[in-house]
Structure formats: structure tokens, C-alpha cells
Amino acid sequence: MRKKIVAGNWKMNTTLPEGIELAKAVAAKSAETPSSVDLIVAAPFTHLASIADLLKTSKVELAAQNCADHASGAYTGEVSADMLKSVSCKWVILGHSERRQYYGETDAKLVEKLKLALGAGLGVILCVGENLEEREAGKHFEVVGAQIKDVLYNFTAEDMKHIVVAYEPVWAIGTGKTATSDQAQEIHAFIRKALADKFGAAVAEDTTILYGGSCKPSNAKELFAQKDIDGGLIGGAALKAEDFIQIAKSY
Ligand code: PGA
């Protein structure tokens, strides 16, 4: 059975004291969520070491929002996969559309990042998704299919045990506009098929595929009821512990 996951992506929000408060609140309420649902919070780099300690006694796992495409050395301002591992991160989000859009993250760079992250023993949440123009032109399958192939087809079935895919239509991120559950299900099934084509049906069946994009307490239940939607990557609603936990309780 593949894992159900609800992951919060805090993005560039919260000062350290605010982040600590949020982490404490999420950890405290995490016991209310079903044991079948794993919880992850992806905090800013500056918060990771402090938050790791706070989460230790809860079910909440820690993620970073990015890592470097080099192992170590003269790359000023970058944070390596090994560094994340050393502060007790279990996961790293890679290929978020904001990284692709504002920081020139390409699929080729993502392959390097994934190799380093997996090599460091981190799990990876790989984000894929089309923008509005691509959706309106009916190119979403083509775009998402290419992202899956160009990144994940460079890895093995064994690697896939440590990789979660997050489908996040760019037009739904932070816009309040959610994909309908049918739209999301359709593309999740397509992603699972693309994984089956390369890695076989068993690996595809075991891969967790999350939906992200204006997922909130009011729509999580309907989205999570879909056969191929295994949880969510939550942005805005993850900044309120209550909402985040409510989303996880939708299962
Ligand atoms: P949102 O962000 O929930 O605020 O739309 C989701 C994401 O970018 O991961």
C-alpha cells in the first residue's frame, strides 16, 4: 500500500520564532490525524535545525524546500543535500514551480539535485505541473509527461521507493483556483501510467502522488477521495496549524 502524505510547504514565510510556534502547534495537533497519513513540514533553511528538535517526539517529518546541484565546495549561498541530512531532514522538495519559474531550475539541474538528495539518504518530493497557457492549449499531458520523463526516467525502480511526485498545476498555486477533482484525478492517473511504462505497474502502484494548488480544508476531502490522489502538498493553508491538520484529517 502506498503512503498517504500531507506535506506543508511554508515557502519563504515565518521568522524563526514564528516558525517555531507553527511547528510546535503542528506537532501538538499531529496526534489528532489518522495514523495512515504521514505528515511533513517543509520549513525555510534557517529554521530546520531548531524545528527538527521540536518535531522529534511527534509523527511530523521535516523537509527542506530545495538543495544544491553540487555536493560541496565554492557555491556561495547554496545548501547541500548532506547539510540537510545533518540537521535531521528526511525530505527535500525539488522542482517546485516557483524554483523553475524564478530561479531557472531546469529538468537537467533537477536530475543532479535528485542524485545528490537520494545519495544523501533524503526522500524527494518532485513537483511537476503545467502553467495556465499550457493548460488552455490542452498541452498539460505533454508538459507533465516530459517533466516526468526528463527527470525520473534517469532513475531506477529502487530510487522510486524514495521519491514522491507532487502534481501542482501552476495556475492553481496560491490563486485560490483549485483543479477540479476530476481534472486532478485524470492527470494523476496519467502520471502513474507514465511511471508504470518505465518502472512497471508495481512501482507505479506504490508511488505516492500528491496534489498541490490551493488545497484547503474545504476541498481536501473531495480531492483525496480520488483513486490516484494520495495526499497533498499544501502552501498557504499550511501556515495555519489548524487548517493543515484539518486537511490531514480529511482522510
Ligand atoms: P498553495 O501552494 O497551497 O498556496 O496553492 C501549494 C504549493 O505551492 O506547494
Side-chain angles (χ1 to χ4, degrees):
M1 265 284 281
R2 54 185 181 254
K3 274 190 198 163
K4 307 283 184 204
I5 298 175
V6 173
N9 175 11
W10 294 1
K11 308 192 180 183
M12 197 173 74
N13 291 299
T14 71
T15 60
L16 179 59
E18 289 164 352
I20 286 175
E21 281 317 302
L22 180 55
K24 276 187 190 163
V26 170
K29 288 176 187 291
S30 63
E32 298 168 16
T33 62
S35 57
S36 56
V37 179
D38 288 1
L39 290 181
I40 298 174
V41 295
F45 289 138
T46 45
H47 302 16
L48 295 173
S50 315
I51 287 178
D53 258 358
L54 291 174
L55 299 181
K56 244 183 231 160
T57 52
S58 78
K59 69 183 264 190
V60 187
E61 297 181 346
L62 187 62
Q65 300 170 15
N66 182 31
C67 75
D69 56 345
H70 293 277
S72 67
Y75 301 101
T76 302
E78 290 293 302
V79 175
S80 75
D82 281 337
M83 291 173 187
L84 298 180
K85 185 70 183 173
S86 76
V87 292
S88 306
C89 263
K90 285 208 171 159
W91 297 91
V92 60
I93 296 174
L94 292 175
H96 191 280
S97 66
E98 287 148 18
R99 303 265 351 141
R100 293 178 190 259
Q101 190 179 346
Y102 307 133
Y103 301 98
E105 194 129 290
T106 60
D107 286 335
K109 231 180 220 180
L110 284 169
V111 172
E112 295 313 309
K113 292 188 175 196
L114 254 88
K115 281 183 191 161
L116 291 161
L118 295 172
L122 294 168
V124 172
I125 300 173
L126 176 73
C127 302
V128 297
E130 80 287 353
N131 63 31
L132 185 60
E133 207 173 66
E134 292 159 342
R135 166 65 66 166
E136 284 175 344
K139 289 190 172 155
H140 41 294
F141 291 114
E142 194 183 312
V143 169
V144 170
Q147 289 170 335
I148 293 286
K149 282 196 183 106
D150 292 349
V151 180
L152 291 182
Y153 279 22
N154 293 286
F155 294 88
T156 65
E158 184 57 33
D159 292 331
M160 286 305 298
K161 288 183 185 159
H162 308 285
I163 297 172
V164 165
V165 178
Y167 167 66
E168 300 203 300
V170 180
W171 47 272
I173 295 178
T175 57
K177 214 175 170 187
T178 323
T180 65
S181 51
D182 287 346
Q183 280 174 326
Q185 165 56 28
E186 175 184 52
I187 201 140
H188 278 233
F190 169 82
I191 292 169
R192 203 174 301 287
K193 167 80 168 58
L195 296 176
D197 289 346
K198 168 73 178 172
F199 303 108
V203 170
E205 270 308 304
D206 282 350
T207 303
T208 297
I209 307 178
L210 307 179
Y211 169 80
S214 299
C215 186
K216 42 190 182 254
S218 59
N219 59 25
K221 209 180 186 93
E222 193 190 334
L223 286 160
F224 295 174
Q226 301 300 311
K227 177 170 155 285
D228 288 292
I229 301 182
D230 308 314
L233 180 54
I234 320 299
L239 295 172
K240 279 197 189 141
E242 217 143 277
D243 287 357
F244 181 61
I245 294 297
Q246 200 53 47
I247 291 171
K249 283 163 120 180
S250 306
Y251 262 116

